[in-house]
Every structure is written in C-alpha cells, then in structure tokens.
Amino acid sequence: MSRRRPAPRAASAPRLLPSSPCPCGLPAAYGDCCGRLHRGTAAAITAEALMRSRFSAFVAQDEAYLLRTWHPDTRPDSIDFDPALRWTRLEVGATTEGGAFHAEGTVAFRAYWTEGQEEGVLTEHSRFVRHEGAWVYLDALALG
C-alpha cells in the first residue's frame, strides 16, 4: 500500500494512542483492537483481521509488523513509506474463506488516502495464507 514518490517530504506518522479509535474501522479503541496484534500480544484469527491490522500498521507506519505479517516468498526487504501520505479510512468488501479453519483466504477492500489536498483510493483484492500457523499477506490478485 505504499506509493513511491521521487522526493518525499519530511513528516511523522500519526501517533496512535491505546485510546485512539482504531484505524481499521471496527468500533474499538486501537489498544484493544489492532494494537494488540502490533504489540504481538494477540494474533489475527482470520484473514480479514490480519488485513485490518495491516491497514492500521500502514497508518502507524509500523514497518516491523508489516514485514512480520508478509509471506517470506513475497516480502520486500523494507517498506518505503511516503511520509506525506496519510491513510484515512478502510472499507472491507467481500471475503472468501480466511476463517479459523482455512489455510487461505482473500479480502477485497478500499483504502482511502490523502496527500496534501489530493485524495485517492486504493482498491485491492488481497490473498492471505497460513505460514507456520499464522495468517500472512501473500499478494494482491488482479482486479476484474
């Protein structure tokens, strides 16, 4: 979900407090929702939960969590965050499988962003698989 820019402007990631609304869109505080996964005190039990936590990690620019939850076959060496880009909202659409008893699943979503006065949306259909018992992001499927 990072976009490359030739000359990123300096800015810091928004600070998420445990009491902040969770960026993933669920009606819970960050500390009780995706924050537990980011801290490593809980694991995503579904592909959708992992996808939501990864969106929140992009909001927080939590590179360690994103890399930890990326399949080793497709994981990049690092994540090039655009410091001026702000992820603002997530809408989860269709999901297939990805439950507690599945080995793979997909999640279609729309992630909204702003950069200065510009607004946009990233639409993706992501594929998740179990790796060593945990859900990880594998890749994005072609749309349409």
Side-chain angles (χ1 to χ4, degrees), residues 8-78:
R9 295 178 294 276
S12 61
R15 181 162 163 76
L16 292 175
L17 301 173
S19 60
S20 299
C22 196
C24 80
L26 293 178
Y30 169 72
D32 296 329
C33 193
C34 293
R36 298 176 312 120
L37 282 71
H38 296 172
R39 290 189 310 273
T41 59
I45 59 170
T46 66
E48 180 180 338
L50 181 66
M51 193 262 123
R52 287 180 178 278
S53 72
R54 286 176 55 83
F55 174 81
S56 293
F58 272 102
V59 170
Q61 296 183 4
D62 185 342
E63 180 180 40
Y65 180 77
L66 291 166
L67 293 175
R68 189 169 67 243
T69 59
W70 210 311
H71 194 282
D73 291 347
T74 57
R75 178 188 312 139
D77 293 331
S78 64

Side-chain angles (χ1 to χ4, degrees), residues 55-123:
F55 174 81
S56 293
F58 272 102
V59 170
Q61 296 183 4
D62 185 342
E63 180 180 40
Y65 180 77
L66 291 166
L67 293 175
R68 189 169 67 243
T69 59
W70 210 311
H71 194 282
D73 291 347
T74 57
R75 178 188 312 139
D77 293 331
S78 64
I79 297 174
D80 184 20
F81 293 108
D82 179 344
L85 185 77
R86 294 286 173 257
W87 295 101
T88 60
R89 184 166 52 102
L90 176 67
E91 292 177 357
V92 174
T95 62
T96 60
E97 297 188 341
F101 301 106
H102 296 119
E104 59 184 57
T106 66
V107 179
F109 67 91
R110 295 169 61 94
Y112 295 82
W113 54 268
T114 62
E115 185 173 17
Q117 299 299 316
E118 185 180 357
E119 296 180 352
V121 62
L122 169 74
T123 302

